[in-house]
Amino acid sequence: MTDGRVALVAGGTRGIGRAISERLVADGWHVLATYRTDDATADEFAARHDRLSVRRADIASTSDCSQAVAQAVAVFGSLDHLVCNAAISRDSRLVETSDADWDAVLDTNLSGVFRMIRAALPSISASANGRVVTVSSVAATMGNSGQAAYAASKAGLLGLTRTLAREVADQGVTVNIVMPGPTAETGMTADADAAFVAAISRKIPLRRLGRPEEVAHAVRFLLDDLAAFTTGSVITVDGGLSM
């Protein structure tokens, strides 16, 4: 039974986050999707789904995180699941990375996830189906030239996720992490030309980019009742790139 569940998807109106939100709504759940910019896209998304609300929120802000959680509870009555997908990237080689860019990426991708989890955990712990899923990247384990800050932030999520999984296991809350590889319609691939996509695809054993809905399916599994014995785990969705 999934009807009536409530999920907060941070970074939930575009790319992978949008696919996650759409999958959960399609399964009969209520979703609050947060976003940092692009009001028009968020409003258009919300208008298409009765069980979806959107809120502009920067997860680098403690108050924004608290207010997003409060809105989910106020609108839907509870909060069962948190999916932390929001992230930014400021790509440059390490020696050319400024303190400001490094701090911005870590403050959103790692510290922001910490803030959102901290805000949501009291409500999630009160749920009979409490789940937290963080969205990392294969860059966390493989590295990626020109993405030192991004890779470091995504690697930090592994330690955060597994530590939290141990801390809240006695409350029946599971905490897991999904690591996507290059995915179509997201980040650096959204506006890429065919030659760039082909070059990336040749590095992937399955010879193609992933699709947002394939990552969403992995997240959906981790939120399912039958995933109640899965915690502190990593699901990699990368076509074999990191094996």
Side-chain angles (χ1 to χ4, degrees):
M1 181 71 175
T2 57
D3 289 344
R5 299 276 184 92
V6 179
L8 193 163
V9 182
T13 64
R14 296 191 298 179
I16 290 171
R18 185 181 183 113
I20 294 168
S21 297
E22 288 182 324
R23 174 63 188 272
L24 301 186
V25 168
D27 283 350
W29 295 1
H30 301 289
V31 174
L32 175 67
T34 70
Y35 66 100
R36 193 170 62 93
T37 59
D38 198 350
D39 293 324
T41 295
D43 290 343
E44 174 273 328
F45 187 35
R48 296 175 51 225
H49 300 287
D50 292 339
R51 289 185 295 273
L52 174 73
S53 293
V54 297
R55 180 184 180 88
R56 187 167 187 152
D58 183 352
I59 68 169
S61 163
T62 296
S63 62
D64 279 12
C65 292
S66 297
Q67 290 168 18
V69 171
Q71 179 173 326
V73 174
V75 172
F76 300 124
S78 62
L79 181 60
D80 303 291
H81 309 316
L82 173 65
V83 180
C84 289
N85 175 71
I88 64 171
S89 183
R90 303 279 177 84
D91 296 351
S92 61
R93 296 182 69 81
L94 189 145
V95 295
E96 298 163 354
T97 299
S98 67
D99 286 357
D101 283 348
W102 177 271
D103 291 344
V105 172
L106 271 291
D107 204 32
T108 295
N109 299 4
L110 182 56
S111 298
V113 172
F114 151 72
R115 293 184 186 98
M116 185 60 84
I117 292 173
R118 184 178 61 183
L121 202 55
S123 296
I124 290 172
S125 297
S127 168
N129 307 287
R131 304 277 191 275
V132 176
V133 178
T134 62
V135 180
S136 182
S137 165
V138 293
T141 55
M142 294 181 63
N144 195 27
S145 180
Q147 288 193 316
Y150 181 80
S153 68
K154 292 297 190 177
L157 286 181
L158 182 58
L160 174 63
T161 300
R162 285 185 160 161
T163 297
L164 181 64
R166 291 184 179 276
E167 289 185 356
V168 298
D170 62 351
Q171 300 170 37
V173 177
T174 68
V175 190
N176 295 285
I177 188 166
V178 173
M179 288 191 174
T183 306
E185 303 170 22
T186 64
M188 66 180 180
T189 67
D191 301 314
D193 59 28
F196 182 76
V197 171
I200 296 175
S201 299
R202 283 194 295 271
K203 299 177 181 179
I204 300 172
L206 289 180
R207 295 295 189 269
R208 66 172 177 86
L209 303 186
R211 298 190 299 271
E213 58 267 29
E214 292 173 320
V215 182
H217 184 68
V219 172
R220 175 62 180 83
F221 162 72
L222 291 170
L223 301 179
D224 195 83
D225 288 346
L226 291 177
F229 201 55
T230 303
T231 196
S233 294
V234 178
I235 294 183
T236 304
V237 188
D238 69 349
L241 177 63
S242 62
M243 66 179 179

